[in-house]
Amino acid sequence: MSGALASISEVPPVILAPMAGISDLPFRALALRCGASMVVSEMVASGDMLRARPEARARAELGIEERRTAIQLAGRDPALMAEAARFCAGQGAARIDINFGCPAKKVTGGLSGSALMREPDRAVRIVAAVVEAVAVPVSVKMRLGWDDGERNAPQIAARAEAAGATQIAVHGRTRCQFYAGRADWRAIAAVKAAVRVPVIANGDIGDPASARAARRLSGADGIMVGRAARGRPWILGEIAAGLAGEKAPPPPGGAALIDMISGHYQAMLGFYGNNLGLRVARKHLGWYLDAVPGSGGLRRRVMASEDSGAVLRMLGRELDDLGAGEALVAA
């Protein structure tokens, strides 16, 4: 069964990138409300997916039923990747994304993620197996290559397209760069030239101007935003408006900003449970507060508190006192 093709006109222009420990269900839901056209789940190892079988748990963790969510799978065994993709599609996943881009040592040490760019034949077998297993679109996310001496993204992308991939996302760095230096958007143009399916540019895109530059230099059909959305999920809507030639909506200010932060916090508590949620939420609260001048004292208290109710009260009272919304608008 071949993967359903997605026409270029259907490609969402702004996509939230998969980020380990960040792109969980509460954050993805917020990103969609803020203007993302599509979101990608945190990377899930194919073996872990198959061992954690309970359908209710899979739906809760991945938000499979959300039609604008792609479920990203990682692994190096074509049969296991196909089985995991089949399971996700059976639960209602609208899209499957294959990870050939993660640079983390714990992933590449297992010869998955961007390590597969050093094994093009295996990478293509994985794509073919997943496409054969499901009737939904299958996309691939990759880097430019393993290192500057092995920039083989255009070749792998062309072979992935031939195997049935319907979209290619490229982070404009090699694996050995990790996140150092600048993303090379011009190099993504070689991938665009090698395939007919939509290409999505990723890396160092954090505002409408950088999004327009990335598209101009790469020729990409869409943009993927990662780290820039931490603590600023509304940037996704600003970028979408900028790419459409429209005036960007103003960032949330005053009560709207406080409501967004508090709502995100409560969603994390509900998703993870109070104890774990309180800890997981701290990094997100820290990113929000980093942009608020004079919030150092509040930040320290929020990070140290073990009382979620107290945190909510502090956010509501002290952010208002600090004029957080107006400070962010001015920034």
Side-chain angles (χ1 to χ4, degrees), residues 137-276:
V138 175
S139 56
V140 175
K141 188 172 191 294
M142 63 178 66
R143 289 204 162 209
L144 295 175
W146 179 259
D147 57 26
D148 282 334
E150 200 172 4
R151 288 194 172 202
N152 57 355
Q155 293 79 17
I156 293 178
R159 294 182 64 185
E161 177 187 34
T166 62
Q167 181 177 284
I168 309 292
V170 187
H171 184 115
R173 289 181 174 88
T174 66
R175 184 272 173 183
C176 289
Q177 282 183 274
F178 284 89
Y179 296 98
R182 295 291 301 171
D184 187 350
W185 300 324
R186 290 182 186 277
I188 298 174
V191 177
K192 175 63 180 170
V195 300
R196 292 178 297 173
V197 296
V199 172
I200 307 299
N202 178 223
D204 294 343
I205 299 169
D207 55 30
S210 58
R212 287 191 293 267
R215 286 197 74 189
R216 184 181 70 254
L217 294 172
S218 67
D221 304 285
I223 294 297
M224 183 172 280
V225 180
R227 292 173 292 167
R230 300 178 305 185
R232 296 192 306 156
W234 54 84
I235 198 65
L236 296 156
E238 292 183 12
I239 289 172
L243 292 177
E246 300 171 355
K247 184 178 179 180
L257 176 64
I258 295 170
D259 286 347
M260 176 183 286
I261 297 174
S262 298
H264 187 191
Y265 185 65
Q266 290 174 299
M268 285 185 280
L269 296 177
F271 180 67
Y272 290 107
N274 192 76
N275 292 336
L276 178 57

Side-chain angles (χ1 to χ4, degrees), residues 51-191:
R51 285 189 290 272
R53 277 280 182 172
E55 287 82 359
R57 185 63 174 166
R59 283 182 183 275
E61 289 185 350
L62 297 174
I64 280 177
E65 68 280 0
E66 166 57 61
R67 305 304 291 175
R68 292 178 292 167
T69 294
I71 306 303
Q72 188 180 78
L73 298 173
R76 61 178 282 101
D77 185 307
L80 284 179
M81 288 285 284
E83 187 177 353
R86 190 179 297 112
F87 172 71
C88 290
Q91 294 302 305
R95 294 171 180 266
I96 302 295
D97 189 64
I98 300 175
N99 186 307
F100 293 160
C102 181
K105 290 182 180 179
K106 66 180 180 180
V107 176
T108 58
L111 302 180
S112 296
S114 56
L116 284 163
M117 299 197 74
R118 307 190 82 179
E119 297 183 76
D121 291 344
R122 178 179 288 273
V124 174
R125 287 200 301 273
I126 290 170
V127 175
V130 171
V131 169
E132 180 67 23
V134 299
V136 300
V138 175
S139 56
V140 175
K141 188 172 191 294
M142 63 178 66
R143 289 204 162 209
L144 295 175
W146 179 259
D147 57 26
D148 282 334
E150 200 172 4
R151 288 194 172 202
N152 57 355
Q155 293 79 17
I156 293 178
R159 294 182 64 185
E161 177 187 34
T166 62
Q167 181 177 284
I168 309 292
V170 187
H171 184 115
R173 289 181 174 88
T174 66
R175 184 272 173 183
C176 289
Q177 282 183 274
F178 284 89
Y179 296 98
R182 295 291 301 171
D184 187 350
W185 300 324
R186 290 182 186 277
I188 298 174
V191 177

